[in-house]
């Protein structure tokens, strides 16, 4: 997980598409095959911004990846160096739930507390919408 935390931090630090909020988010998604897909949040003037988690998932899905183990999400203000506990938004939680099993894990890391937080998708999205 430490490697995934570092990969999520690295891509968040390269984010040049968060000019509206000034808050950069990085995500590192691990497939069951051990492949890692990374993404950062992409903001724009409209309401169609896309979160780092969905960027990572879309990259993986576009390469026919369908089995996922976990995702690490980190975030911070661009001008700061310290990442803080950052969890997926409600939209991302619902999006992810469409493609993962109930034991899918979501991690976030807080530099100030030097703490890794661990959740499964069901904890973060109880009673999710399913057809």
């Amino acid at each position: 997980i430490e490697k995934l935390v570092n990969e999520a931090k690295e891509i968040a630090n390269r984010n040049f598409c968060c000019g509206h909020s000034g808050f950069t988010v990085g995500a590192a998604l691990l497939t069951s095959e051990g492949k890692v897909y990374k993404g950062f949040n992409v903001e724009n003037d409209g309401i169609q911004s896309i979160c780092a988690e969905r960027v990572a998932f879309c990259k993986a899905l576009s390469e026919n990846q369908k089995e996922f183990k976990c995702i690490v999400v980190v975030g911070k203000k661009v001008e700061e160096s310290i990442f803080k506990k950052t969890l997926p938004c409600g939209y991302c939680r619902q999006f992810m739930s469409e493609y993962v099993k109930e034991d899918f894990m979501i991690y976030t890391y807080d530099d100030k507390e030097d703490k890794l937080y661990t959740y499964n998708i069901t904890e973060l999205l109880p009673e999710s919408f399913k057809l």
Side-chain angles (χ1 to χ4, degrees), residues 106-120:
I106 300 164
Y107 300 94
T108 186
Y109 185 77
D110 189 296
D111 281 327
K112 189 174 183 179
E113 295 180 18
D114 190 26
K115 183 174 179 181
L116 181 70
Y117 292 87
T118 306
Y119 306 89
N120 66 44

Side-chain angles (χ1 to χ4, degrees), residues 54-109:
R54 285 182 282 136
V55 169
F57 264 91
C58 287
K59 287 168 71 174
L61 291 166
S62 73
E63 292 188 18
N64 204 31
Q65 296 292 319
K66 301 212 168 121
E67 298 287 325
F68 304 102
K69 291 179 82 168
C70 67
I71 193 167
V72 172
V73 182
V74 297
K76 69 177 185 74
K77 293 216 175 258
V78 171
E79 67 276 2
E80 296 176 355
S81 60
I82 295 175
F83 286 88
K84 64 181 189 175
K85 180 180 178 182
T86 303
L87 294 172
C89 70
Y91 187 90
C92 285
R93 293 175 194 196
Q94 181 63 44
F95 181 93
M96 289 188 293
S97 76
E98 298 283 325
Y99 301 101
V100 301
K101 296 178 179 148
E102 290 184 1
D103 62 348
F104 179 77
M105 299 304 295
I106 300 164
Y107 300 94
T108 186
Y109 185 77

Side-chain angles (χ1 to χ4, degrees), residues 26-43:
L29 173 65
L30 180 65
T31 69
S32 295
E33 296 176 359
K35 226 173 161 190
V36 177
Y37 290 88
K38 298 183 280 186
F40 58 65
N41 55 315
V42 180
E43 299 176 351

Side-chain angles (χ1 to χ4, degrees), residues 9-28:
K9 285 180 174 183
E10 182 264 330
I11 196 157
N13 280 326
R14 291 192 328 209
N15 185 354
F16 300 106
C17 298
C18 61
H20 295 280
S21 70
F23 194 80
T24 181
V25 178

